[in-house]
């Protein structure tokens, strides 16, 4: 079983920054990709960013140039650095792990999920 625990969410003013962390524990896969998704009230869960096993990254257009995904394999942790935050970034943010070295933007391609961390951006 794989466990994912997100942290780092909170309340920030527009234009501010937050860094989310996702700690991975348990029996992971031989190679895997990680993704960050978010869900705002009344909306569907949407893709934010992903990182492949070899470190390739991919972003949703809405966060490109503002957010950065990275991973520290020694710490089994994935990060999402969020800069220049906007009120429309307000959502619960989830990390997820995929049984593949390659990333995907589809939530159904990810096997395990964290419990989520709330990010609120005030105007």
């Amino acid at each position: 079983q794989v466990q994912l625990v997100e942290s780092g969410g909170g309340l920030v003013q527009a234009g501010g920054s937050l860094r989310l962390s996702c700690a991975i524990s348990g029996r992971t896969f031989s190679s895997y990709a990680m993704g960050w998704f978010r869900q705002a009230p009344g909306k569907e869960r949407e893709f934010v960013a992903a990182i492949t096993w070899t470190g390739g990254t991919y972003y949703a257009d809405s966060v490109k140039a503002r957010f950065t995904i990275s991973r520290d394999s020694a710490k089994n942790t994935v990060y999402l650095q969020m800069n220049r935050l906007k009120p429309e970034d307000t959502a619960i943010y989830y990390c997820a792990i995929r049984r593949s070295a390659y990333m995907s933007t589809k939530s159904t391609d990810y096997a395990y999920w964290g419990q989520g961390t709330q990010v609120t951006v005030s105007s």
Side-chain angles (χ1 to χ4, degrees):
Q1 191 74 5
V2 178
Q3 292 85 40
L4 305 176
V5 179
E6 302 98 336
S7 61
L11 173 64
V12 64
Q13 288 188 334
S17 298
L18 283 174
R19 187 175 83 154
L20 305 183
S21 300
C22 175
I24 308 163
S25 62
R27 188 172 180 177
T28 57
F29 318 119
S30 57
S31 61
Y32 54 88
M34 296 292 299
W36 284 96
F37 290 76
R38 67 186 182 187
Q39 188 166 17
K43 295 187 177 181
E44 293 188 353
R45 191 169 297 189
E46 65 174 0
F47 171 77
V48 175
I51 187 165
T52 69
W53 177 247
T54 55
T57 58
Y58 189 80
Y59 300 91
D61 287 343
S62 59
V63 306
K64 203 172 292 184
R66 299 189 298 123
F67 290 10
T68 303
I69 187 171
S70 61
R71 69 193 300 168
D72 185 332
S73 297
K75 295 183 178 180
N76 277 342
T77 301
V78 175
Y79 304 97
L80 185 68
Q81 177 67 44
M82 306 186 296
N83 298 327
R84 302 200 308 277
L85 283 160
K86 304 175 181 180
E88 51 263 43
D89 294 319
T90 295
I92 299 175
Y93 283 70
Y94 301 89
C95 68
I97 188 169
R98 186 171 187 231
R99 286 194 188 100
S100 168
Y102 304 100
M103 57 73 64
S104 172
T105 62
K106 296 168 58 179
S107 61
T108 52
D109 285 340
Y110 290 80
Y112 295 94
W113 293 78
Q115 82 290 348
T117 185
Q118 176 71 48
V119 171
T120 303
V121 185
S122 63
S123 57

